[in-house]
Amino acid sequence: MPQPHRPTRPARPPRPQRARRGGAPGPRRGKDRPRWGVRLAAGLAVAVLGSGAIGHAVMTGLDTGIERVDPFKDMKNRPQAGHGLNFLLVGTDGRDKITPADKSAYRLGGAPCHCTDTVMLVHLSADRQRASVVSLPRDSYAELPEHRDESSGKQHGPHPVKLNAAYAEGGPQLTVRTVENMTRVKIDHYLEVDFASFMKTVDAMGGVEICTAKALHDQNTGLDLLPGSHRLSGGQALQYVRSRHVDGAADLGRMQRQQRFVAALIKQATGGGVLLNPVKFKEVSSTLLGSVRADRGFGSEQMLALGQALRDFTPSSSEFASVPIGNPSYAVKGIGSTVKWDEPKASKLFEALRLDRPLAPAAPGRQPASPPQRQPAVPVDVPPGQIRVQVENGTRIDGLGGRVDTALRATGFDTTRSPGNGASRDVKRTVIAYDPRWDRSARTVSTALPGSELRAVAGQGRTVLVIAGADYRKVVPVRPEDPHQGRFGVVTGDQVICGT
C-alpha cells in the first residue's frame, strides 16, 4: 500500500491588507513584484489601517510617494459589482533594486521576465469579518482579449497564453481585464509588489515566524530549513515563498507556503504590537508605501478606513484557496504545458466570492472562541487520520496501553482501540516500530510522543506499533501541516500558522 499521501495543498496566500506588522498595503513603485510582496503589502495594509488617530497622523502625506498605475482605464463590459471589496494582488520578479550582495546570498541572479510571478484575488467581506484569498496559478491557461502590446505597440487579437504573460503583453490593465474575464469577479483595487519591496517590508517588521513539519531544501533559491519554527528575515522569507523545488508539488506546493506566510503576517499584524507602536508603525508604513504600485483610487484614506474595520481580525478570519484544477498539464500549441481550471468547480468558487459567501464551511463542532487554552497542536507531515496505530503496554503499569491508545485517537490517529501487552514488560523508553516504507508516518507518531525511540522493522506493514514505556507522560496534540477541507480545499489562517 502506498505511503500516506504527502499533503499538497495549494494554499490560500495574500490577503488584502493585513500583514504582520503595521504597514499598509499601499502601492508604489512598480514593475515587477512577487507574490510574496503582494501578500506582504496586503497584510501590512491591514495593520497600518487599524491604528485610528495614530494612523491618520502617520499616514498623512505618505501616499504622495505611491507609484500609481491606471489598470481600469477605458475598460468596458466589466462584471457587475458584488458585495464586499475585491483586490487583485500581483507579485512580479522585479529585482533591479536588489544589491549584488543580496542577489548572491538569496540566489536572485538572472534577468527578470517582466511577468507576474504571483496573481492572487483577495475578497474582503462587506461586514469586514472575513478575507478570502484565492491563488491563481501563474501557468493557468488564459485567453487574452484583443489588446495593444505594451512593449511593441502592435495590435493583437484574442489569443491563448499562460496567465502570467498577460502582464508582459499589456501590463496591469491587461492583467485585470484577463482575470475579470476568467473569474467574472469585478476588481476594485490593484496592488503590485516586487522582490526588493517584499524584503524591505519583512525586515521592517522584524521578520516573520514560519513553521514546517519537514526539512525544506531548494538549491535554486538557497532555502535550507530544518523541521521546526523559524523567524525569517526579508531575504529568507523571499527564499521561502519562491521555492518550488522542495518536493514534487512544484507551484502548488509553493502556493501552500505562500498562504502560510500570509497567515503568519496576519497573526503578527494583529498580535505583534506594531499598531500600538507609532515609531514601528511609521517605519513599516513608509517602507511599504515607498515600494508598492497601486491604482489611483487606493490611498492612505482607504487604508486607514479599512484598517479600522479590520482591527478585530485574527488568523481565523482569513481563508485560503486555489482555483480547482481540471488538468495540470494541458498542452497548448506554441505555449506548452498549462494549468487548465476545472470550470464547473471554479465557477462555483468565484460565484461564492461575488455573493460574499465564505469559502470554508464552519467546521463541525468548532467553537468561535477556543476554550481554555490547550497545548498548541504541532504541524506534522502526514495527517494523523491516515496512520493506523497499534498500541502495546511495555510496562507493568495497569491500563497504560489503553490510556496511550485513547490519547493518540483523541489527536486524530487511527488506533485499533485494542491495546495489548508487549512481549517485554520492562520497557523504559517508549518505542515506535515501523516499516521503513512508512517512515513519514512514523515520524508523525514520534512528534506526538516526544522522546520516543524510532525502530525500523522491515516487512512490518503500514500499521505503526507503539510500545508504551515507563517514560510515557502524555501525547502532544498534532495536526496536518496542510489541512484540506471543504469543496474548494479551503484552509483558514489559524490552521496553518505556528502554535495553533
Side-chain angles (χ1 to χ4, degrees), residues 160-162 331-338:
V161 296
K162 292 182 180 180
V332 180
K333 185 177 181 180
I335 298 175
S337 180
T338 67

Side-chain angles (χ1 to χ4, degrees), residues 281-478:
F281 180 82
K282 182 172 183 178
E283 177 188 357
V284 175
S285 300
S286 59
T287 298
L288 181 70
L289 294 175
S291 56
V292 179
R293 295 212 299 174
D295 63 272
R296 299 181 184 284
F298 191 81
S300 59
E301 182 179 342
Q302 288 72 28
M303 289 191 289
L304 286 170
L306 180 58
Q308 289 165 357
L310 300 181
R311 282 177 299 183
D312 296 327
F313 251 49
T314 64
S316 61
S317 303
S318 60
E319 52 182 14
F320 302 84
S322 290
V323 179
I325 304 302
N327 184 348
S329 302
Y330 181 67
V332 180
K333 185 177 181 180
I335 298 175
S337 180
T338 67
V339 174
K340 189 82 159 113
W341 295 357
D342 181 321
E343 294 300 339
K345 291 182 180 179
S347 294
K348 290 180 180 178
L349 171 68
F350 296 122
E351 178 183 33
L353 292 185
R354 289 193 296 271
L355 297 179
D356 199 25
R357 293 174 180 168
L359 304 179
R366 189 174 185 177
Q367 304 179 13
S370 7
Q373 206 50 331
R374 293 178 49 191
Q375 180 175 357
V378 179
V380 290
D381 187 12
V382 180
Q386 296 179 2
I387 303 174
R388 186 69 167 170
V389 179
Q390 171 64 50
V391 178
E392 290 185 356
N393 185 353
T395 73
R396 299 183 184 280
I397 303 172
D398 290 341
L400 179 61
R403 293 204 303 276
V404 175
D405 182 282
T406 299
L408 287 171
R409 176 166 286 275
T411 196
F413 289 96
D414 179 23
T415 67
T416 63
R417 299 193 186 191
S418 300
N421 290 321
S424 169
R425 306 302 297 278
D426 193 28
V427 176
K428 304 298 184 186
R429 180 183 177 191
T430 298
V431 173
I432 297 174
Y434 67 97
D435 189 309
R437 292 178 298 168
W438 281 272
D439 61 320
R440 290 170 50 236
S441 294
R443 287 196 298 272
T444 290
V445 177
S446 70
T447 299
L449 294 167
S452 55
E453 174 190 345
L454 282 169
R455 185 178 296 171
V457 180
Q460 176 172 297
R462 70 177 294 240
T463 299
V464 175
L465 175 63
V466 172
I467 305 173
D471 66 334
Y472 172 77
R473 294 294 177 270
K474 65 178 181 178
V475 167
V476 173
V478 297

Side-chain angles (χ1 to χ4, degrees), residues 87-278:
F87 296 79
L88 185 64
L89 304 182
V90 171
T92 67
D93 70 344
R95 58 195 77 185
D96 55 306
K97 290 191 174 181
I98 304 285
T99 66
D102 281 346
K103 281 185 178 181
S104 174
Y106 304 117
R107 314 278 177 90
L108 297 172
C113 68
H114 190 62
C115 58
T116 52
D117 198 32
T118 297
V119 180
M120 303 179 86
L121 186 57
V122 179
H123 173 79
L124 183 65
S125 63
D127 62 7
R128 301 302 188 258
Q129 297 298 304
R130 181 185 70 259
S132 303
V133 183
V134 180
S135 297
L136 310 182
R138 64 177 188 173
D139 291 337
S140 296
Y141 172 82
E143 294 186 6
L144 298 186
E146 182 178 353
H147 65 279
R148 184 178 299 279
D149 190 297
E150 193 175 61
S151 301
S152 66
K154 182 179 178 181
Q155 189 69 26
H156 291 291
H159 63 278
V161 296
K162 292 182 180 180
L163 179 57
N164 68 339
Y167 188 92
E169 290 195 30
Q173 185 185 53
L174 186 57
T175 300
V176 170
R177 288 178 63 194
T178 302
V179 171
E180 286 193 343
N181 287 348
M182 296 173 73
T183 65
R184 302 313 302 161
V185 172
K186 186 175 183 180
I187 306 301
D188 298 299
H189 292 294
Y190 174 91
L191 299 176
E192 183 184 308
V193 186
D194 66 6
F195 287 174
S197 55
F198 174 82
M199 293 168 64
K200 289 178 182 177
T201 308
V202 172
D203 285 335
M205 296 191 309
V208 177
E209 184 182 16
I210 290 296
C211 297
T212 178
K214 53 183 177 285
L216 301 177
H217 303 289
D218 187 334
Q219 292 186 344
N220 292 56
T221 64
L223 178 69
D224 187 11
L225 296 179
L226 294 174
S229 299
H230 307 271
R231 180 160 292 275
L232 307 182
S233 66
Q236 294 170 324
L238 185 59
Q239 291 175 314
Y240 179 80
V241 295
R242 289 185 62 219
S243 292
R244 58 194 298 259
H245 300 288
V246 169
D247 49 38
D251 275 336
L252 296 183
R254 174 163 59 175
M255 286 192 290
Q256 289 178 311
R257 288 184 287 280
Q258 292 166 359
Q259 292 169 353
R260 290 193 205 108
F261 184 81
V262 177
L265 287 177
I266 294 169
K267 179 183 179 182
Q268 183 157 327
T270 56
V274 177
L275 299 182
L276 301 179
N277 184 331

Side-chain angles (χ1 to χ4, degrees), residues 475-489:
V475 167
V476 173
V478 297
R479 62 172 172 79
E481 182 174 42
D482 293 309
H484 183 99
Q485 59 178 256
R487 58 179 175 167
F488 303 125

